[in-house]
Amino acid sequence: MGSNIRTLMSVKSLKFFLENSFRKMLVAQMILLGVCILICSCILPVAPIKILFLWPVPLLSHHRAFSPLIEELANRGHHITAYTTVKREKLPPNYTEIIIHPDNSGPKMGDFDLTSWRHKNNFQYLHEMYTFFGRMVEDALGSPELKSLIRSNEKFDLVLAEFTFAQECLSAFGHKFSASVINLNPLFASPWLAQIAGIPHSFSYIPDFRLPYTDKMNFWQRAKNALLGSYEIAIGNLIFMPFHDRLVRKFFEYPGSTVKSYPPLKDLMANISLHLLDSHPLVSSVRPYSPNVIDVGGMHIKTAGKLPQDLQTFMDEAAEGFIYFSFGSYIDGGKLPKRVHQIFAETLKGLKQRVVWKWNQQIEGGAPNILIRPWLPQQEILSHPNCRLFITHGGFNSMIEVMNIGVPVLGVPFFSDQYHNVAVYEHMGVGLELDLEAATVPYIKEKINRIIHTPAFKQNAKRIAELFKDQPETSLEKALFWVEYVIRHKGAHHLKPASVKLSYYQYLLLDVIVFGIVSLSIVAYILYSAARIFLSLFYTRPTDVKSKRKRE
């Protein structure tokens, strides 16, 4: 009996050993398979190619948003040739930089006074913005550097530029070099970009980023949204596309080319393989995209670095916390009314919190609770645990940093997307808007204290940060994948919908609608005429009978 039990136990032990060994072997095989897949994904990179990066307009915040993508492409072995107006302090490997020197006959970035644009309506803004930057691009195309590039025999496989930011004529470089083209769009998808990319853009729930609306619009907001979007599409097709087409005919002349050798600019724009948008669905409203449009907002987000010791100490010792105040790269505080500077200075001096202020003017008499610098490392400051509030102009790069870190906001918008961004802050419960025209010391203090002493603002900011970070990949990784996807598939034109080649009237079926109305009108007229003839055969009016009798 005992031997039988021992035999049975031995059999069970052997069975357990074999099953356990099989499980371990299966797990090991799965791990090995995963490692092989990972290795294959790493050892099957895209062969290095030559990339032309065009940046003829010195838009620093736009450059900061897309610069990490260019750097990482260079780090991956691709050869970048940059024709740019923004000089880098340190060049990455495989990166050649040619600084563009425009002939200065056109407008300059210093002429673009953003503080004065607060008083322009959106229709003025659209027209003047496209005109201003269009003329800057024209000036750059006349530079010796770009003239030499146009006449060169260089070879490039890919061209990157802000083609839909008043720089449509640059798409001709893709045609010249027979290269794939990728658009770097620095803002949300506008009605104009939607037409170029062939994606839907319903005015009923997709707000124009130049309006202070969210996707919850009432009747009058939808009406204004539709009017502004229609206006942009109209001037884009009737004024600015022809203007840039003329620039192509004017500058893209080189041995072997003719004016007729370039297709219409609309066809050049339809050749764009991919549109990378500095945008994010958390703030741009959920909307349908086709595969050729990708949101990559947040590529500039990086791990917080080390702060200067005096700044670190100033923030560490802030017992009541500190407020960070910055109006970004473009807004010159010196051009704001002196009254505004005085009101802000008096308000901030009277706070219990310390203030770190990016500003180019010192406060008269100084203030022990305020530290002023002309430049400050924003991401590192916002990441500090003692940061209680961020006073901002509502720029998009700052908005991405707020979403990534989770800091409450007091927004002071000046122009363009800033009004929309601040409206989104309010809609998400992350912050409040400050009306600069109504600014007084008590008004600003009340806004600051309400945000700091209402826990919901901080809680909502942290909740948004969790949503922003909960992604399968970073924005930079996503952008790199799709750029190299275009490279691997020779332009990846299969990603584009057929709508990119349709005229806007065709896309809206206006020709079909007109045809239907005319056809129905003709049919209705024929039926009406036939009915009159038919009825006249069987029905005689009384007046006709009386006239007949009278004649008799």
Side-chain angles (χ1 to χ4, degrees), residues 54 134 137-139 141-142 146-147 150-151 163 166-176 239-254 257-269:
L54 298 168
V137 173
E138 181 179 13
D139 201 21
L141 286 171
L146 287 186
K147 280 184 175 180
I150 290 171
R151 292 183 172 87
F163 297 107
Q167 301 174 42
E168 286 80 358
C169 58
L170 299 183
S171 60
F173 281 103
H175 184 270
K176 172 183 166 47
I239 299 176
F240 297 113
M241 190 72 92
F243 169 76
H244 283 274
D245 193 79
R246 288 193 297 272
L247 294 186
V248 173
R249 313 296 161 190
K250 176 181 177 181
F251 289 104
F252 283 82
E253 293 184 3
Y254 50 89
S257 74
T258 63
V259 172
K260 294 182 179 179
S261 66
Y262 275 86
L265 184 58
K266 181 184 182 301
D267 293 344
L268 295 177
M269 293 297 289

Side-chain angles (χ1 to χ4, degrees), residues 148-180:
S148 176
L149 175 64
I150 290 171
R151 292 183 172 87
S152 73
N153 293 319
E154 286 275 5
K155 300 291 182 183
F156 293 101
D157 305 292
L158 179 66
V159 182
L160 300 173
E162 289 187 314
F163 297 107
T164 49
F165 195 79
Q167 301 174 42
E168 286 80 358
C169 58
L170 299 183
S171 60
F173 281 103
H175 184 270
K176 172 183 166 47
F177 295 116
S178 300
S180 299

Side-chain angles (χ1 to χ4, degrees), residues 143-402:
S143 68
E145 294 78 20
L146 287 186
K147 280 184 175 180
S148 176
L149 175 64
I150 290 171
R151 292 183 172 87
S152 73
N153 293 319
E154 286 275 5
K155 300 291 182 183
F156 293 101
D157 305 292
L158 179 66
V159 182
L160 300 173
E162 289 187 314
F163 297 107
T164 49
F165 195 79
Q167 301 174 42
E168 286 80 358
C169 58
L170 299 183
S171 60
F173 281 103
H175 184 270
K176 172 183 166 47
F177 295 116
S178 300
S180 299
V181 178
I182 293 179
N183 176 37
L184 308 177
N185 190 74
L187 297 165
F188 308 112
S190 66
W192 177 241
L193 179 131
Q195 180 190 337
I196 299 298
I199 60 174
H201 189 95
S202 174
F203 298 131
S204 61
Y205 72 96
I206 301 174
D208 194 295
F209 64 82
R210 287 153 293 227
L211 293 172
Y213 305 153
T214 66
D215 52 4
K216 308 293 188 298
M217 293 180 282
N218 60 35
F219 171 80
W220 294 112
Q221 289 173 338
R222 284 185 286 114
K224 186 173 181 179
N225 188 53
L227 187 61
L228 183 61
S230 301
Y231 177 75
E232 181 182 30
I233 291 168
I235 63 173
N237 285 289
L238 301 177
I239 299 176
F240 297 113
M241 190 72 92
F243 169 76
H244 283 274
D245 193 79
R246 288 193 297 272
L247 294 186
V248 173
R249 313 296 161 190
K250 176 181 177 181
F251 289 104
F252 283 82
E253 293 184 3
Y254 50 89
S257 74
T258 63
V259 172
K260 294 182 179 179
S261 66
Y262 275 86
L265 184 58
K266 181 184 182 301
D267 293 344
L268 295 177
M269 293 297 289
N271 190 52
I272 294 174
S273 296
L274 187 69
H275 299 266
L276 297 179
L277 276 55
D278 187 25
S279 176
H280 194 279
L282 276 177
V283 293
S284 62
S285 70
V286 177
R287 58 175 298 169
Y289 284 156
S290 50
N292 63 324
V293 179
I294 309 292
D295 279 334
V296 293
M299 289 189 293
H300 71 290
I301 294 294
K302 63 182 188 301
T303 304
K306 189 175 181 180
L307 289 163
Q309 189 55 51
D310 61 334
L311 180 58
Q312 182 74 50
T313 302
F314 183 82
M315 296 189 298
D316 288 344
E317 295 176 353
E320 297 289 337
F322 70 87
I323 295 168
Y324 177 55
F325 186 174
S326 171
F327 280 162
S329 311
Y330 293 131
I331 296 172
D332 183 358
K335 292 184 178 180
L336 289 171
K338 189 175 181 181
R339 178 191 68 86
V340 172
H341 181 256
Q342 290 173 340
I343 289 173
F344 274 122
E346 188 178 345
T347 303
L348 299 176
K349 282 195 290 186
L351 296 174
K352 294 188 296 183
Q353 293 80 18
R354 289 187 172 185
V355 179
V356 180
W357 193 356
K358 181 183 175 293
W359 201 255
N360 53 12
Q361 301 175 44
Q362 293 296 323
I363 295 176
E364 291 183 13
N369 70 319
I370 300 177
L371 185 149
I372 297 178
R373 298 278 171 83
W375 181 87
L376 288 163
Q378 182 160 295
Q379 290 188 52
E380 286 76 5
I381 292 172
L382 292 176
S383 300
H384 195 283
N386 285 345
C387 186
R388 298 287 183 267
L389 175 66
F390 178 25
I391 302 178
T392 173
H393 63 309
F396 186 75
N397 286 347
S398 294
M399 190 177 206
I400 289 291
E401 290 161 17
V402 165

